[in-house]
Amino acid sequence: MSKSLSGHSIARLEDQRFLTGQGCFVADMNMDGQLHAVIVRSPHAHAEILFVDVEAAMAVDGVVGVHTETDLVADGIGCLPCVASFPAKSPLIIPERHALARDFVRHVGDPVAMVVATSLEAAREAADLVEIDYDPLPAVTDGRAALAEGAPLIWEQAPGNIAYTFEKGDAEAVRAALGSAAHVVELDIINNRVMAAPIEPRAGIGHYDPAHGVKHLICTGQGLHAIRDQLAEHVFKVPAERVHLSAPDVGGGFGLKNFLYPEWVLLPWAARRHHAPVKWVAERGEDHAGATHGRDIRTTACLGLDAEGKFLALDADLVANMGGYLSAAGPGASTTSSPTAMGGVYDVPLIHMHSTGVFTNATPIDAYRGAGKPEANFIIERLIDAAARRCGFDPVELRRKNAIDAFPHVTAQGMNLDSGRFRRNIDDAVSHADRAGFEERRAEAAKAGKLRGLGFGCFLETARGAPQEGAEVKFTPEGRIELRVGTESNGQGHETTYRQIAGDRLGLPMDAFDYIQSDTAEVRIGHGHGGARSMHMGGGAMALAIDAALDKARGVAATLLQAEADALDYADGRFTVRDSDRSVSLIEVSAAARNPDVAPTLTEGEDGNAGLDTFIFREQVPFTFPNGCHAAEVEIDPDTGVVSLERYVMVDDYGTLLNPRLTEGQVQGGVVQGIGQAMMENVHYDAESGQLLVGSLMDYTLPRASHLPGFETHLEGVPTQANALGVKGSGQAGCIGAPQTIINAILDALAPLGIDHIQMPATSETVWRAIQRARARS
């Protein structure tokens, strides 16, 4: 195979089955004798549970069980953990979170009871008959409001509703720098609460194997080993090998499917209790109320500049709404993650960040595409545009002046940036967006009574996720090569890209490989997909595993060919003795490697592998730093506030591109989610009752194709040395870069009216009201 596979836009192999209806999702699956579960959820944001009466529900034909938290207690079932680890300034308070609520409910959608029946219809009928007497309590769903004196207390052990505080950076030095700065710009910034809303809601099937004492959960997951470990250690209190998790095809996740949920506790527990598999599929409204949300951080931020516009210091004080419980990794976005990107692509000498995690009566927060990096980049990018307008700088030149342009570079928060093209990205974006011709386009729009704006926004992603990952390559007796990895695809195209990596390194066609993922019984370890880590962490480990297997193979081939190992050439899946016609295929070598007479040292590998089979584990792997500059052009109807996105340009650096088409798809998908947050998406609650007001897609607005222009994508990569492939993660970057780009464009359009700040989402109502206030002042 002489043609390289990597670097080419090969069509996704998995799309053939998806487009022909051959995909297999949890909702498609059924097991013999399975039962069906329905979860009874709280209609209240905050209430005491006085009693639960299940008698009428149990009388429904086909119902085999109606369970409450007392059943879980009787079986010794533990709580869902928060496993976030960070140096909290004040003690981290982790209240007990039971799979079914005990004594109190703390958000709308909190699970209270579980109905199990022989049919879904019976389970639904019975769920409506479960009688629960609640004593409603005052509720608070806004983070800052929860900190106010007299706010309803969510947990007795958390005075003032404070879950934790976190601080990074030298507060005194930043305060002094701001005090002596020629210009100081301050903004109150809301990074609005959003939901991932993947096309496939959560679903699972619990099964129990009594012969081996193994609980098996098939679920819509994207971080199965971590969920398995939490279930084993904290919930079921059994060895990890007695909990088995697997996932078939998964229809999107965006972070939401990385975490342990109450349903993942209930399904295997109920399967064991009822001696039958138990299936549950979430309705869309259940996921809106019960699956984790993202963002919801409000920040007071200050940027200090000298008289020439050089940045001196950045201070950010964050209030992070955690919801009613701490989800598994919930505090991460507002603690350890945000500082890695605070200050963005700019040389900011001093940065201080303070964060307060707050309990409220909202759905728990956890990582959503970017998780802390979008919030950090939004802060600096909004401050830059505000500084430009308030202090008389050009927003593009202010970015160019302060962009990091020499590498390696250590940021004020301690990140060691190895590569990037920060200033060149800005220059290229300005050119591609035709900034020079914009005023003419603005004038044309004005003739039609429209306001036109052009905005720029840069981003710095810090991609890695968990700092360790493993990969395994196995050679089967049938002559197949298995690629086993712990980074789990939920739409990214891993079945294609991992085969491209292996095909290139082994000189074999892509159909020589079997891709295996998402099964804790088949894959040794894995930290799932999250943090734009799959190609960096999983792909990098796989490349090393293949290289190590080839090193083993060379010695075996030398024995078979009766030649010195360094006299062999390898190409197109064959070892050949140089300057001869003697050769042997890799598959033949793999078979011989299991023969103790040929390769006695390989039949019992130290890592548990035999023959050429190789497992590589990487740990303490450095970050990669995807980066870019985006430009958006908008038109606003001042009479209605409707914003039309006319153009969107992105210039991004993702290092080496394994499959440019798939990279572009990842980036564009992220950009669309960022546009959604900036212009329309918003999870909001009734301020008095705490009721969720976006219970369906009738209420929660997602971007549609009609909202979007054709994207103009320019991928200009500088390879990283952080992995063997030179790749930088692309999965989250679009979501990180788009919000500030859109808001800056909208504010550029509104600038003639004297408007220099607006909160997300910039809906037509929000924009219209801002225009009305500006006109009233004039």
Side-chain angles (χ1 to χ4, degrees), residues 99 154 261 341 528 534 595 720 734:
I154 313 303
Y261 286 99
S534 290
N595 184 337
T720 178

Side-chain angles (χ1 to χ4, degrees), residues 376-396:
N377 279 273
F378 191 77
I379 289 168
I380 186 65
E381 291 294 327
R382 283 294 305 115
L383 284 168
I384 292 171
D385 255 37
R389 298 200 183 281
R390 296 177 186 180
C391 306
F393 298 110
D394 177 273
V396 167

Side-chain angles (χ1 to χ4, degrees), residues 559-595:
T559 300
L560 293 175
L561 295 170
Q562 299 183 12
E564 295 296 326
D566 58 8
L568 301 183
D569 294 326
Y570 180 80
D572 296 340
R574 299 189 71 84
F575 287 97
T576 303
V577 180
R578 195 171 301 117
D579 300 325
S580 81
D581 60 358
R582 288 184 293 140
S583 69
V584 63
S585 74
L586 178 63
I587 299 305
E588 291 170 324
V589 172
S590 72
R594 296 181 183 277
N595 184 337

Side-chain angles (χ1 to χ4, degrees), residues 505-540:
R505 290 185 118 73
L506 293 178
L508 293 171
M510 293 172 67
D511 60 10
F513 305 99
D514 295 322
Y515 173 76
I516 298 172
Q517 64 157 17
S518 301
D519 191 325
T520 61
E522 296 290 336
V523 178
R524 296 194 189 202
I525 67 166
H527 292 275
H529 180 77
R533 67 190 304 275
S534 290
M535 290 302 105
H536 168 39
M537 299 296 295

Side-chain angles (χ1 to χ4, degrees), residues 365-437:
I365 284 285
D366 216 312
Y368 167 68
R369 203 168 191 171
K373 279 71 76 70
E375 294 91 327
N377 279 273
F378 191 77
I379 289 168
I380 186 65
E381 291 294 327
R382 283 294 305 115
L383 284 168
I384 292 171
D385 255 37
R389 298 200 183 281
R390 296 177 186 180
C391 306
F393 298 110
D394 177 273
V396 167
E397 288 308 312
L398 193 57
R399 286 178 167 84
R400 290 190 79 260
K401 179 188 290 285
N402 289 281
I404 297 164
D405 201 37
F407 300 91
H409 176 91
V410 179
T411 71
Q413 296 279 285
M415 299 303 292
N416 191 352
L417 311 183
D418 71 322
S419 63
R421 60 189 313 275
F422 302 169
R423 192 172 293 171
R424 282 182 291 163
N425 287 338
I426 297 170
D427 293 340
D428 289 350
V430 166
S431 175
H432 289 303
D434 185 25
R435 190 186 191 217

Side-chain angles (χ1 to χ4, degrees), residues 251-308:
F254 315 116
L256 178 147
K257 293 175 181 173
N258 270 341
F259 310 113
L260 176 60
Y261 286 99
E263 295 85 358
W264 302 162
V265 175
L266 296 172
L267 291 171
W269 169 79
R272 180 181 184 185
R273 187 179 183 100
H274 294 289
H275 311 289
V278 180
K279 179 178 180 178
W280 168 79
V281 178
E283 296 183 355
R284 179 64 62 179
E286 285 187 280
D287 260 8
H288 281 211
T292 56
H293 295 164
R295 311 292 191 250
D296 205 348
I297 294 177
R298 187 159 184 168
T299 303
T300 300
C302 295
L303 178 66
L305 307 86
D306 69 15
E308 286 72 43

